[in-house]
Amino acid sequence: TVVNFIFATMFMICGYVVPLRLIPLIAVLYIIALLTIAVIDNERVKFLDVTTSMFLVFYSVFLLIHLTLLRMMDNGIALLILALIGAYATDTGAYFTGLSIGKHKLIEKVSPKKTVEGAIGGIVATVAFFVIYGTFRSSKNGRNLPWEAPPISVYARTAVFPSAAAR
């Protein structure tokens, strides 16, 4: 609908222009606008339509704002690439681990070929990747990055790419 388009655009602009403290205000205005439309036009617009619209806008646009916020940090491009590589490492590790030793189905109704072993393998692969990367980086700048690998891998798995966490 037009309301979804307007607020999706507002959320995307928030990542670049508007102060970050206004994002929750825009989110509340969006929810109020959708619920108002549902109350006024209750014959055509059902509550399920409203909640679906909210989910889609928040899931697709609001969460992607965090890529922009990550990019705007110091060393933002490197952090963004690192988050992307972490997500790919998780998916690759999960795929090959599940393919080779996967026996126990994770959630068969959602994704019939996903296994518990694959999910664990994805997390282990990501942690291993970040430990190797952190060891390489820490030798260059003297920081102790390998101990930061587990939280970064969990962040890459859930916050940057929430669809990967659902898979």
Side-chain angles (χ1 to χ4, degrees):
T1 65
V2 174
V3 173
N4 289 330
F5 178 75
I6 291 170
F7 279 96
T9 305
M10 288 174 67
F11 281 129
M12 288 189 286
I13 291 171
C14 281
Y16 291 103
V17 179
V18 179
L20 296 178
R21 66 180 181 274
L22 292 181
I23 292 176
L25 175 65
I26 293 172
V28 168
L29 290 174
Y30 171 64
I31 292 169
I32 290 172
L34 281 181
L35 291 175
T36 302
I37 291 170
V39 168
I40 291 172
D41 194 7
N42 64 355
E43 293 295 320
R44 252 186 21 176
V45 180
K46 302 297 178 206
F47 186 71
L48 181 61
D49 298 334
V50 171
T51 56
T52 303
S53 294
M54 282 191 273
F55 174 76
L56 290 175
V57 168
F58 282 120
Y59 187 78
S60 62
V61 177
F62 188 70
L63 293 177
L64 286 176
I65 290 173
H66 291 85
L67 293 177
T68 304
L69 298 175
L70 191 61
R71 165 62 182 94
M72 293 184 337
M73 293 174 66
D74 293 336
N75 295 324
I77 292 176
L79 291 172
L80 184 61
I81 291 171
L82 195 59
L84 293 172
I85 291 172
Y88 292 131
T90 303
D91 286 345
T92 304
Y95 175 75
F96 286 114
T97 304
L99 191 65
S100 61
I101 63 170
K103 300 254 187 271
H104 303 92
K105 300 292 182 187
L106 189 60
I107 304 173
E108 200 163 351
K109 289 182 179 180
V110 174
S111 185
K113 293 191 176 191
K114 301 287 190 268
T115 62
V116 173
E117 294 84 1
I120 294 169
I123 293 171
V124 169
T126 307
V127 169
F129 167 76
F130 280 116
V131 166
I132 292 167
Y133 174 80
T135 302
F136 174 73
R137 270 304 267 190
S138 65
S139 67
K140 287 189 164 199
N141 63 9
R143 289 189 61 199
N144 192 15
L145 285 177
W147 300 111
E148 297 172 4
I152 291 172
S153 67
V154 171
Y155 174 76
R157 180 75 174 161
T158 58
V160 175
F161 291 100
S163 63
R167 289 186 267 168

